[in-house]
Amino acid sequence: MSENINVPYQVQQIIQGLLNSRDSVHLRGNYRMRLAVIRDEIDKAIRKYDNEVILAEASKKRNKERA
């Protein structure tokens, strides 16, 4: 697997473990679960950020309309 410099080293290691067909299915399943948890946390953080940006833009728009 080619390394992506934008992906943290720890996550790259988990991905490599997941894709290593020499490891047991049980171990690879653990890697998959860890990646799923990481993905879910990233998605939550991105949604929270996006909502904050939307609220900030709406607030700016309201302030401009009042002025």
Side-chain angles (χ1 to χ4, degrees):
M1 182 177 102
S2 64
E3 293 183 9
N4 183 335
I5 61 170
N6 295 316
V7 177
Y9 177 76
Q10 296 86 345
V11 174
Q12 290 178 21
Q13 291 299 107
I14 297 170
I15 292 169
Q16 288 175 358
L18 174 69
L19 300 176
N20 185 353
S21 60
R22 288 178 272 151
D23 285 338
S24 71
V25 172
H26 176 73
L27 181 59
R28 292 171 70 194
N30 287 339
Y31 288 128
R32 187 194 182 290
M33 286 190 301
R34 288 174 64 192
L35 287 169
V37 168
I38 291 168
R39 179 198 58 216
D40 293 345
E41 289 300 313
I42 291 169
D43 287 344
K44 276 195 268 184
I46 290 171
R47 278 193 304 273
K48 182 177 179 181
Y49 169 81
D50 288 346
N51 286 335
E52 289 173 1
V53 169
I54 290 169
L55 290 173
E57 289 175 356
S59 177
K60 285 180 187 177
K61 185 177 179 180
R62 277 193 304 261
N63 290 339
K64 277 187 176 182
E65 290 173 354
R66 291 179 186 167

